[in-house]
Structure formats: structure tokens, C-alpha cells
Amino acid sequence: MRTVLCFVALACLAVSSTHAQLTPPASLQPDTVFVLQPDRVFDGEMMHAGWTVIVRNDRIEAAGAALAPPAGAERIALPGTTLLPGLIEGHSHLLLHPYNETTWNDQVLREPLAYRVARAVNHARATLMAGVTTVRDLGAEGAGYADVGLKRAIDEGVIPGPRMLVAGPAMVALGSYAPRGFAPEWSVPQGAEEASGVDGVMRVARDQIARGADFIKVYADYRYGPNGEAAPTFTLEELRRIVEVASSSGRPVVAHASTPEGMRRAIEAGVETIEHGDGGTDEIWRLMVGRKVGFCPTLAAGDAIAQYGGWKKGAGPEPARITAKRASFKAALDAGVTMCFGGDVGVYSHGDNVRELELMVAYGMRALDTLRSATSVNARLFHLDARVGAVRKGLLADLVAVEGDPSSDISALRRVTLVMKGGTIHRRPRE
Ligand SMILES: [Zn+2]
């Protein structure tokens, strides 16, 4: 190798072209090819016994029965397992950790940003290792745009983690959110960005887009009523303007909403998913079906909070709030609402994402349908279906193998043996 110093541009060119010859261009490097052989494959829609999946570099090259393995492929035997698309979590907060460790208020007000990011790095790894290869992260909860930086670090391979769609700080109506309850003389930092008025919400939506939000998350209602009850926040007009600004840029709007009126305004304004939806009525479910709005029920967050509050699950009587949630989830299901897999993970431990799917089954949904929600349905709801959410030729090789058959036992999803993201293996079975 030539080691001349570069005093003139021509000499530099000579050195760099010599160096370039040492590294073959990417097109000449050999492909990385895997042949994955599980007992069965869930392709995002249906279960197929005896399928094999071939992965070339970052993509799925083929999936089906009796495929001839390409020359030079590494065979990975996965006996006793089901291979499925990497799970897509629809409602995470990687910048939060469980409230029974530290209350939400104390996380927002007392934890330094760098401390929260350090935890989030661990959360991202735990999420990926649990077989969740994509998350829609629904607000940094006081951590500003830390989610934008976290997403970049994952995309650049600095740290392991799932693909991320990020909200940034999320948007709340002035005076409606939390932390609250302080003397009126004090202005206390909030867990999301406040906005007010048609001009105000449009300015905040544009600013959040400019700083890296993949979508806008709004709180269409919150617990700020006279007695602390949930009440609608933004006017219909404000919500419409937020959707107008976001959709001009090609970005969706999603809404936290749990009152019928908050949900109705959000749906009328054109949001794409409703988060929580505890107070949904038959009329609201019909409206959601008609407008093709997805529903992230966040059953696991309610289940966790009730237990943090003292409920001894399985021993003590079920709290009224849980019984009501079970009924409203079933009503939404019976009405034919499109169910998103989104548990509000962060309220409970990252990596425990499957908890939501287990509760969806416990509350009356068929296991196979919950698998669809966690893969093809969420991919479609989040506009990712041309890239992920199915085992299909040409899609990114985001693949997970689990012991057993999750279509008959959803908890099989907890027994992860292989995690592949974009063709890179992050977790593999012991030889
Ligand atoms: Zn949330």
C-alpha cells in the first residue's frame, strides 16, 4: 500500500484510488444467505406447516414448502418452533420505566435527561430481544426529542433496538396535562408540548414535524375535569387543523382518547388510531369501523396500574375499572373495529410486550387474530406494509422464532429463540 502524504490534490487522488482497490465494492461482496427451517411459519395472515424461509442479505428471498436451498446458504434448524414476522408494538414509551419503580411525575420532574436516555438504551435492547422489531413510540413524556436521537442511534447501528416511529414530545391542550396540582404561581414543566388555538396547534404541529416527528400524537381528552375526571381538551376545529398540517406533510395523527366526546372529535378530525378508548360506546365503535380508524386498547397498562394500586390479581376481586375495560374491549371487537397491538409498554417492563397479546386473548380475541394485529394489521395501520409485517418475498427480513405454536398458546411468544432484524441475527438458538 502506498503511504505518501497528500501535498497536492492529484497525489491524494492517487492514494485514495489505490486504497479503493483494496476494498471490493459492495456489489462484489458475497451475499449472506440463510435458510430458516422451523416447524411452521405464520406469514402475517395464516399458519403454514412445513414452510422454509430463505433470507438473502437484508430481505426475504422466498418462503414456502419444498424450496431448494441456494448454494452457500447457512442452514438454521429451528425444530419445534414457529417462525413469524418480527412483532410491531403499536404503543410504547421507551423513555419511561414502570410506575411501580418510579412514579410518572417523578420520572418527568426528577430524572435527568441523560439518565432517562441511558435507561431507554436498555429498554430498546430488551424490546428487540423479546422479538419486537418495530415500535411506534407514542411520546417521550417530558424527554423532548430524545426518541428522535434514540431512533437514529438504532438506525445507524450504534445500539441494538427495534425500528422506531417516533412522536417527539406529543401535543396537549394548554393546561390540560400533567404534572399538575402545584400552586398557581408556579409554571411546572409538562410531560408533553402545550398548544392552544388554531394558530397555536398548527405552529406546534409544524415545529414537531421539523424536529423529527414521524407522526403527531395528540391528547384529545385528559383527566382535567372539575373533579379530576377525563374531559375533552382540543376543540374539533383545533384537531382538524392539526390533521390538516400533518397530512400535508404525509404524516398521520393519532389520539389519546378515552371519553366518547374526545374519541368522536378525534375520529371526525381524521386521526388514524385511537389510544385507550375506555369509554367507547356502540356509536363510537361504529364510527371507527366506518372511518377505518384503528384501536390500540392498552389493556396491559390498565392491568398493571390496577396491580400497582393494590389489586391482587387472581386472589382479590376484579376492580370495576378492569371489568368495564373487559366489556368495552369485547364490544369493540364484536363491532368489527380494527384492533391494533399496543399495550402502553413503559408503564410495565420493556420486553414484556406480549402481556398485551395475552390480555387480548383473555378478554375474548382469538390468538390467531392477535398475531395478525401484532404483524400485518399494525404494519398496514402504520403505513409500513411495503417493508415489514409479513413473511413475503421482497420484504425486510424481520423474523422471530418462538418455541411452540402461538396460535394455540399465545404465551409461546415469550419463548423466543431467534431474532433477526433486516437480515442481521440478534439472538439465535443454542447449537
Ligand atoms: Zn401511552
Side-chain angles (χ1 to χ4, degrees), residues 5 60 93 109 165 173 179 183 193 200 246 257 278 289 297 331 339 367 382 393 405 426:
L5 289 170
I60 296 166
H93 297 280
L109 293 174
L165 292 172
E193 188 170 6
D278 293 29
V289 172
M339 289 293 179
F382 309 157
K393 177 179 161 54
D405 180 355
H426 290 273

Side-chain angles (χ1 to χ4, degrees), residues 150-164:
L150 198 64
K151 172 186 170 175
R152 177 171 163 183
I154 292 168
D155 285 348
E156 292 179 358
V158 177
I159 59 168
R163 301 177 195 284
M164 291 182 74

